[in-house]
Amino acid sequence: MSDLAELEKQALAELNSSSDETGLRAWHSKYFGKHGAIPAAVKKVSEVPPAERRAYGQEANRIKEGLIKAYEERQQKQSETQLARELQSDALDVTLPGRPIRRGRLHVATQDMRRITAIFADMGFQVYRSREVEDDLTNFELLNMPPHHPARDMWDTFHTTTGGVLLRTHTSPGQIHVMRECCPKPIRVILPGMCFRYEAITTRSEIMFQQVEGLAVGENVSMTDLKGTITAFARRLFGNDRKVRIRSSYFPFTEPSIEVDMDCLVCAGKGCSLCKGTGWLEIMGAGMVHPVVLKNGGYDPSRFSGFAFGMGVQRISMLLYGIDDIRYFWANDLRFLNQF
Ligand code: PHE
């Protein structure tokens, strides 16, 4: 019996002095393992004289139960202190200032595209997105330019290795797509997007550039509507006292065709270096939709008429900000881009 008391005392002392998980595990296998002290003590019941056996057995069991309970409590406490320690050492200071994220911005072309879109949206024009890869048929033929038509010279073209498939040289083929989709309903849309031309890159021309095409089709759409629309647009974008003039021009897909000029932003018509002394700046090509094109779009030209215009977005930005070289737009130079 005194052996048992001694065993209990020693086991409890060792348990209370083991402070980490490894210590606890070692304690458990020392006392409760296969060859542990407790199973050994319980086994000894058979060696005890019969008269004391019952009491010894009861005492051995009491000690065993007690130690198991003490061990579990100790284990519980140890994981709690462990958790508290980890929470303290890995604490996150939520009051530290964050690392600032450098904010990007919209490219000047995107900004201006959105301004232009917003102005036309106010006048009831919807945006129609049209493909950048076209076929010869839609980019040229259906716009009243059969193969070998001399006007094709105005649009130097990137052809793909698939015959007849090319990068669109203007947004005008979108007119065909939108007309075929909407006919015979009236149309009032703009068609913004990238265009491509196989050209020498200079301060005035790039091999890729954006255009905004406009198209209105309906009954009684007239040249007056075209002029009014363009004038309203120019005044919204460039200032209320802008004047607009139209000159006759030629495009195969409009009849009559016009070129639209705006009085010079800088000198208001007196003549300066921006307008090269003329007092006027060219802003877009336009005209009344050619009957052949209306027909190709599914509209009866004896009932319907329409106007169309097309402007180069980068040219417009150049006028707005006094940019003198179109190559800046896609050169990816932050010194240029950060200014907008
Ligand atoms: N597509 C013509 C160009 O790229 C512009 C234009 C559009 C002219 C619509 C008239 C009507 O030069």
Side-chain angles (χ1 to χ4, degrees):
M1 280 295 215
S2 65
D3 287 356
L4 282 180
E6 187 56 35
L7 177 61
E8 181 181 30
K9 217 175 104 194
Q10 198 194 332
L12 281 175
E14 281 177 30
L15 181 63
N16 287 331
S17 66
S18 56
S19 56
D20 58 6
E21 216 187 300
T22 346
L24 277 175
R25 231 181 281 130
W27 182 91
H28 191 264
S29 61
K30 176 171 172 186
Y31 287 97
F32 286 93
K34 211 159 159 211
H35 305 291
I38 300 299
V42 172
K43 237 200 218 139
K44 249 167 91 185
V45 178
S46 57
E47 296 164 24
V48 172
E52 294 166 28
R53 203 172 280 169
R54 184 184 162 87
Y56 181 93
Q58 278 175 348
E59 182 62 357
N61 263 327
R62 186 193 62 77
I63 291 172
K64 180 180 156 192
E65 300 299 326
L67 286 178
I68 289 175
K69 212 170 143 231
Y71 170 75
E72 281 167 357
E73 279 168 12
R74 188 81 193 161
Q75 213 179 23
Q76 170 80 15
K77 227 170 91 199
Q78 142 45 42
S79 68
E80 274 164 20
T81 37
Q82 170 80 15
L83 180 64
R85 211 181 302 133
E86 277 173 14
L87 281 176
Q88 183 142 52
S89 63
D90 297 346
L92 183 68
D93 183 353
V94 291
T95 66
L96 275 178
R99 292 183 197 91
I101 296 168
R102 287 238 270 150
R103 286 181 83 184
R105 67 185 76 205
L106 294 177
H107 192 283
V108 58
T110 307
Q111 291 180 36
D112 289 345
M113 193 62 116
R114 290 187 181 185
R115 279 170 78 177
I116 294 169
T117 308
I119 293 170
F120 284 111
D122 284 351
M123 293 193 269
F125 286 78
Q126 290 179 289
V127 171
Y128 185 91
R129 295 225 159 260
S130 186
R131 65 202 68 169
E132 292 175 2
V133 178
E134 274 294 355
D135 49 16
D136 187 276
L137 185 72
T138 324
N139 194 80
F140 293 116
E141 278 185 60
L142 294 173
L143 292 174
N144 203 22
M145 264 181 283
H148 313 298
H149 191 291
R152 287 191 179 211
D153 279 357
M154 284 199 274
W155 293 277
D156 295 312
T157 310
F158 285 114
H159 297 269
T160 67
T161 46
T162 309
V165 177
L166 46 87
L167 300 185
R168 67 174 174 189
T169 54
H170 49 178
T171 42
S172 301
Q175 290 187 28
I176 300 293
H177 294 296
V178 70
M179 281 195 278
R180 289 188 167 179
E181 199 177 306
C182 297
C183 96
K185 285 184 283 210
I187 296 175
R188 202 187 294 172
V189 291
I190 54 169
L191 307 111
M194 199 62 87
C195 303
F196 308 86
R197 285 186 203 171
Y198 180 61
E199 279 186 329
I201 298 173
T202 68
T203 55
R204 301 275 303 153
S205 53
E206 255 288 6
I207 57 171
M208 56 185 270
F209 55 93
Q210 291 165 306
Q211 281 190 340
V212 171
E213 184 97 3
L215 177 70
V217 179
E219 285 172 89
N220 304 317
V221 175
S222 70
M223 188 70 127
T224 325
D225 301 318
L226 172 59
K227 197 182 173 193
T229 304
I230 293 173
T231 308
F233 165 73
R235 291 189 176 154
R236 277 282 302 275
L237 193 61
F238 292 102
N240 251 335
D241 32 52
R242 290 276 72 82
K243 284 199 285 281
V244 159
R245 84 174 177 185
I246 57 183
R247 281 178 289 121
S248 80
S249 182
Y250 174 74
F251 298 102
F253 35 90
T254 44
E255 178 60 35
S257 301
I258 59 170
E259 207 82 54
V260 182
D261 296 340
M262 178 180 78
D263 63 332
C264 180
L265 286 170
V266 173
C267 64
K270 284 190 216 53
C272 68
S273 64
L274 180 65
C275 59
K276 297 195 186 74
T278 63
W280 295 93
L281 302 163
E282 190 187 309
I283 56 169
M284 64 180 83
M288 299 308 291
V289 182
H290 196 288
V292 166
V293 177
L294 279 174
K295 213 184 288 160
N296 289 339
Y299 288 84
D300 174 1
S302 66
R303 238 186 94 200
F304 290 94
S305 54
F307 69 70
F309 57 82
M311 69 185 113
V313 177
Q314 278 67 66
R315 293 272 173 92
I316 299 281
S317 301
M318 289 167 81
L319 295 177
L320 272 176
Y321 311 111
I323 298 164
D324 58 10
D325 192 331
I326 200 172
R327 292 172 295 188
Y328 286 129
F329 285 93
W330 320 125
N332 237 356
D333 186 337
L334 284 177
R335 291 170 303 177
F336 171 75
L337 297 172
N338 278 337
Q339 296 177 63
F340 303 97

